[in-house]
Amino acid sequence: MRVLVTGGAGFLGSHLAERLLADGHEVVALDNLITGDRANLASFAANPRFTFVEANLIEELPVDGPLDQIYHLASPASPIDYVELPFETLYVGSDGTRRVLERAVDDGARVMLASTSEVYGDPLVHPQVEDYWGNVNPIGPRSVYDEAKRFAEALSMAFARYRGCEVRIARIFNTYGPRMRTNDGRVIPAFVSQALAGHPLTVFGAGSQTRSFCFVSDLVEGFVRLMESDLEHPCNLGNPVEQTIRTLAEHVNRLTNNAGGVVYRPLPEDDPTRRRPDIRRANEVLGWKPMVAFEDGLAQTIEWFRTQA
Ligand code: UDP
């Protein structure tokens, strides 16, 4: 098959592109490199079945030839990125998603939209099931991302209902692994780089907020299974093992032998209190569940960050 990955030079996009090449597909990765990085493509850029296109999806989708599948991942995705790139985030979620869906209709391609657990906002239902409609502040600093992704889901469903487009929607929970940017602001890259420098880890608030972290290879497996499935409704993809941010800091300090401890910093506005995916749908329909234990995934991630220093 000929597969387009938008955001293909990003953290998730590059791992997905690598997996699709390994499965024997022809892969086109499109990225404008505002948060993506060509270095993420290094291990497979020379593969004759791979093409990279540098372009801004908000303006154009300059890929020739018919596509069979489109994984639409393009978007700033870390809280500091989307606060610094508010319009890019809103427009890639709206105009960019529209461009992808129009192309999918033209080519008869199936689309998998990378949506997010942020559609649940600061959730009042725990763990989060797909039927929960969420608790999102529509005008807060995170809204540029949350509402862009909610709009992208609505647009995808409208294309499915009224334009005959085959759409799959992945609601991605916190994911980690090699190729995250050291400075992307997300908690695992932040903690690991601080720990490797021997610095204290910056815990926001009291660190009692929770997250559930999925290793990137597990997520990519979920993407592929979702794309190949008949599931027409959104599907959570994440690891249900939940931990507090304080516990995460202890894990990172222990695995890196960092004696720097932690320092407490103010909690960002609208920071969700807790988050854990209910993955029954992915398990029942896709036969999917995460396989990589947190300690193993974290150890691999730390090793990778060491090579970046
Ligand atoms: N966080 C933290 N210190 C940091 C970066 C993040 O304590 O240096 C916290 C943040 O407040 C949030 C959690 O870690 O509660 C996860 O943050 P991240 O930005 O990774 O993703 P989010 O789940 O908020 O989108």
Side-chain angles (χ1 to χ4, degrees):
M1 271 191 289
R2 188 153 185 268
V3 187
L4 170 65
V5 180
T6 76
F11 161 50
L12 298 180
S14 64
H15 283 283
L16 174 63
E18 195 165 16
R19 160 66 188 267
L20 295 168
L21 287 167
D23 287 349
H25 301 299
E26 190 181 328
V27 177
V28 181
L30 181 143
D31 204 299
N32 65 351
L33 302 175
I34 55 170
T35 61
D37 188 344
R38 271 179 197 275
N40 291 335
L41 311 172
S43 58
F44 53 88
N47 187 317
R49 283 182 283 105
F50 179 72
T51 317
F52 177 66
V53 175
E54 183 175 345
N56 185 349
L57 195 56
I58 296 171
E59 285 154 14
E60 54 175 353
L61 204 174
V63 175
D64 296 331
L67 297 164
D68 300 301
Q69 295 183 336
I70 307 176
Y71 289 87
H72 177 35
L73 274 58
S75 177
S78 89
I80 62 163
D81 285 341
Y82 52 73
V83 166
E84 278 171 14
L85 300 165
F87 297 103
E88 289 84 347
T89 304
L90 282 161
Y91 299 150
V92 79
S94 50
D95 297 345
T97 302
R98 177 178 174 187
R99 201 173 295 288
V100 162
L101 291 164
E102 295 282 6
R103 175 62 182 263
V105 169
D106 289 349
D107 287 12
R110 183 180 284 183
V111 175
M112 193 211 79
L113 169 70
S115 184
T116 170
S117 56
E118 284 280 321
V119 301
Y120 303 122
D122 190 3
L124 305 175
V125 167
H126 194 77
Q128 290 78 59
V129 282
E130 289 90 348
D131 294 340
Y132 176 48
W133 293 351
N135 177 37
V136 173
N137 177 352
I139 56 166
R142 298 173 85 102
S143 66
V144 294
Y145 184 69
D146 301 7
E147 297 294 8
K149 290 292 188 182
R150 289 171 67 100
F151 177 85
E153 287 199 10
L155 193 64
S156 300
M157 290 304 289
F159 267 76
R161 286 195 181 100
Y162 307 116
R163 304 275 305 272
C165 191
E166 288 190 17
V167 169
R168 306 289 176 263
I169 299 176
R171 290 188 179 151
I172 305 167
F173 286 65
N174 297 66
T175 306
Y176 70 102
R179 300 189 193 149
M180 294 186 93
R181 273 170 26 241
T182 323
N183 62 347
D184 96 347
R186 283 186 279 191
V187 68
I188 289 186
F191 282 3
V192 171
S193 4
Q194 289 161 351
L196 292 179
H199 296 153
L201 312 191
T202 52
V203 172
F204 296 166
S208 53
Q209 69 272 32
T210 68
R211 294 294 186 272
S212 308
F213 297 97
C214 185
F215 191 64
V216 60
S217 58
D218 282 331
L219 188 78
V220 166
E221 178 66 29
F223 282 169
V224 171
R225 288 188 189 214
L226 178 59
M227 180 65 111
E228 300 301 333
S229 78
D230 296 328
L231 189 53
E232 292 176 344
H233 290 108
C235 186
N236 289 338
L237 291 177
N239 190 320
V241 178
E242 183 182 6
Q243 58 183 307
T244 66
I245 295 305
R246 237 185 358 246
T247 311
L248 172 67
E250 286 163 13
H251 279 303
V252 172
N253 276 336
R254 184 169 43 77
L255 286 180
T256 54
N257 294 314
N258 179 32
V262 301
V263 284
Y264 291 91
R265 296 280 179 261
L267 190 67
E269 193 177 337
D270 293 337
D271 198 281
T273 313
R274 49 193 197 157
R275 188 183 281 156
R276 170 155 64 101
D278 182 314
I279 59 163
R280 274 176 297 179
R281 182 174 288 173
N283 192 236
E284 283 161 20
V285 182
L286 313 180
W288 177 86
K289 64 172 196 289
M291 305 300 286
V292 179
F294 184 68
E295 295 255 327
D296 297 340
L298 186 58
Q300 284 186 53
T301 307
I302 291 168
E303 275 323 299
W304 186 81
F305 271 94
R306 271 189 218 282
T307 67
Q308 301 300 297

